[in-house]
Amino acid sequence: MSRIAFVSPLPPARTGIADYSADVLALLAPGHEIDVFHAQEEVEASRLPSPIRLHWAAALLDRHRQRPYDAAVYQMGNGPEHDFLYDLLPRLPGLLVLHDLVLHHARARMFLDSPAARAYAQDPADRARQEAARPALEAYRAELSYSYPDRAARLFEAQLGTVGTLLPYAYPLFRLAVEASRVTAVHNAFMADAVRSEVPDAVTTRVAMPMTAPTVTAGAASALRARLGIAADDFVVGSFGLLTPEKQIETVARAVARAAVHVPRIRLLLVGPVPYAGALARMLDRVGLAARTVVTGRVGFSDLAAHMEAADVAVHLRYPTARETSAALLRLLAQGRPVIVSDLEHLADLPGDAVVRADLTDEEGAVTRALLGLAARPEGRARLGERAREFVRVEHAPARSRAHYETAIAQTSARPDPPARPWPSHWASLTRG
């Protein structure tokens, strides 16, 4: 039985990776001695297997020195919940599970949104504030220079000029994290190719994201529809997950509004946290869909499956994308929902008969046409949903994911630490800590 240090946000952290980590821990706990390291005030221990032990992230290195771990596993994503991993990953190299190819937004925020950098931004003429902010700004500049030497100066100035969120998608900034790891695991082929393209000597492996469909009791979805004011003969289009601009909710709403000309009973169901409630309400009113839309906000994990089954069709769009494998999408497919997705390269793993792909050159029109076609053919929806369910049952079976993780952990344990490189000084100093 190997000893594993598992470093990750945990439920109830507002990231899908926390839920994913709970699932992976349940798979690995029977065969390993696992210590879990986190950096949050509250942990839903009931969501985690009982044999594991919880520790603050700051204790990782001391515990490793006292009794070394066979492997450290880091669950990394493009969000502030993962900031604490950066201080540990180069000090104790291990298995980096890269959920998002793009890490730039979160990593830049660590430097540019630091208290000293914020104070300097409020008064750039203040020399004392400028000097206080210099270490953070220079560290960010150094990471850009290391990863993108030909474009670093312009990227740095653009980010300081707050040009928006699109630019970091073109410059993902994952190189340091990958180079500091023994092995990098990803969930789709596109990400594996992208990592090897930027870091040719990186050892990469694919692991299946585990997914199962919770059982929804008979009549639960119908009862939920009734409670939400949705009639039995309404045609419900659902969108699930954090309702951010990247989900292209306005595109979905416009497509539903266009389809309503031919499908009078069409409704829109939005399930998930709403970060910009006012903007969402104004948009729904502007496109004439406010009366047809139900916005539930965040729902409990145990209630999510019933909400998914309350939808006749789901639409899962992404732009821009961090090239992630979406757990929300896999949950919909596992639940047997017909799903319309953006036709993106990293979703090539999805079989053509398990989803409907929307052409990016006319996504609103493609979604509208798909909705009309699916609304008119219940038997087609059933076939699509059944094929989706079967795909997840086979390709994302928990046993398959566990086997992939076991292989990746064994590979990580057997490999030496990565070689020293000409890293930025602030990063290189962590490897000597």
Side-chain angles (χ1 to χ4, degrees):
M1 178 178 288
S2 61
R3 273 173 49 79
I4 296 175
F6 193 97
V7 189
S8 177
L10 301 168
R14 292 202 167 193
T15 165
I17 297 171
D19 298 321
Y20 168 97
S21 290
D23 292 340
V24 170
L25 285 167
L27 297 177
L28 297 178
H32 301 276
E33 181 184 343
I34 303 177
D35 285 344
V36 179
F37 295 87
H38 65 91
Q40 57 199 69
E41 293 294 333
E42 179 188 359
V43 174
E44 287 182 15
S46 62
R47 294 276 307 277
L48 306 174
S50 56
I52 69 160
R53 294 173 296 273
L54 294 172
H55 306 280
W56 284 101
L60 172 60
L61 299 179
D62 282 344
R63 296 188 70 86
H64 177 66
R65 280 190 285 266
Q66 293 165 9
R67 187 179 169 213
Y69 292 101
D70 297 298
V73 179
Y74 299 91
Q75 304 289 343
M76 177 67 82
N78 185 29
E81 298 84 2
H82 304 267
D83 287 355
F84 74 100
L85 273 69
Y86 283 95
D87 190 54
L88 300 172
L89 192 150
R91 298 172 188 258
L92 182 59
L95 173 63
L96 172 68
V97 184
L98 194 60
H99 290 259
D100 299 313
L101 185 67
V102 178
L103 301 179
H104 197 152
H105 300 87
R107 187 57 172 161
R109 192 182 302 113
M110 292 178 68
F111 300 116
L112 304 184
D113 202 34
S114 65
R118 286 202 308 271
Y120 171 51
Q122 291 169 0
D123 188 0
D126 188 313
R127 295 296 297 274
R129 293 188 180 194
Q130 182 183 38
E131 288 304 311
R134 188 181 301 279
L137 298 181
E138 289 304 317
Y140 176 54
R141 188 198 302 270
E143 293 199 8
L144 291 175
S145 296
Y146 182 75
S147 295
Y148 311 108
D150 296 335
R151 300 176 177 86
R154 294 183 66 183
L155 283 171
F156 182 78
E157 295 301 327
Q159 285 299 99
L160 258 63
T162 60
V163 296
T165 60
L166 285 176
L167 189 62
Y169 285 99
Y171 301 93
L173 209 63
F174 60 74
R175 182 178 174 184
L176 283 173
V178 169
E179 287 184 348
S181 302
R182 293 182 177 185
V183 178
T184 298
V186 296
H187 295 110
N188 62 65
F190 181 95
M191 284 184 63
D193 291 342
V195 168
R196 287 191 292 264
S197 177
E198 186 160 328
V199 188
D201 60 345
V203 179
T204 61
T205 187
R206 286 182 61 187
V207 295
M209 182 177 287
M211 190 59 61
T212 55
T215 300
V216 177
T217 58
S222 298
L224 175 62
R225 283 170 66 118
R227 288 199 304 274
L228 294 175
I230 298 172
D233 58 346
D234 283 345
F235 180 72
V236 179
V237 179
S239 183
F240 298 82
L242 184 64
L243 300 177
T244 59
E246 291 81 6
K247 299 288 181 67
Q248 297 297 301
I249 300 301
E250 182 165 353
T251 299
V252 178
R254 288 183 178 278
V256 170
R258 290 171 63 178
V261 175
H262 305 283
V263 186
R265 303 290 303 186
I266 198 168
R267 301 290 300 275
L268 178 61
L269 174 64
L270 301 178
V271 180
V274 185
Y276 313 107
L280 176 64
R282 288 190 295 273
M283 180 276 291
L284 292 171
D285 188 61
R286 186 174 65 252
V287 302
L289 214 66
R292 293 182 181 271
T293 304
V294 175
V295 181
T296 68
R298 185 182 182 90
V299 300
F301 193 77
S302 59
D303 297 324
L304 184 57
H307 282 75
M308 289 181 171
E309 293 204 357
D312 297 290
V313 172
V315 183
H316 189 86
L317 307 183
R318 284 291 188 281
Y319 180 80
T321 172
R323 305 297 185 176
E324 73 279 8
T325 292
S326 169
L329 172 58
L330 291 181
R331 285 194 181 93
L332 285 164
L333 300 177
Q335 217 65 42
R337 297 298 87 195
V339 184
I340 303 165
V341 300
S342 301
D343 190 10
L344 297 165
E345 286 181 281
H346 71 283
L347 299 181
D349 297 347
L350 300 177
D353 60 350
V355 294
V356 177
R357 300 180 190 276
D359 188 338
L360 299 179
T361 61
D362 179 24
E363 199 163 40
E364 181 184 318
V367 172
T368 303
R369 291 186 289 273
L371 290 175
L372 292 174
L374 291 168
R377 291 189 293 275
E379 71 287 350
R381 298 200 303 271
R383 284 196 302 270
L384 191 67
E386 193 51 46
R387 181 65 187 98
R389 194 195 312 272
E390 180 65 11
F391 163 71
V392 174
R393 188 188 68 79
V394 174
E395 296 297 324
H396 293 272
R400 190 167 190 259
S401 179
R402 180 173 57 244
H404 287 176
Y405 258 97
E406 296 289 2
T407 299
I409 289 169
Q411 190 178 19
T412 301
S413 300
R415 289 191 59 78
D417 287 345
R421 302 177 192 251
W423 287 324
S425 59
H426 69 280
W427 187 262
S429 69
L430 294 176
T431 67
R432 299 188 295 268

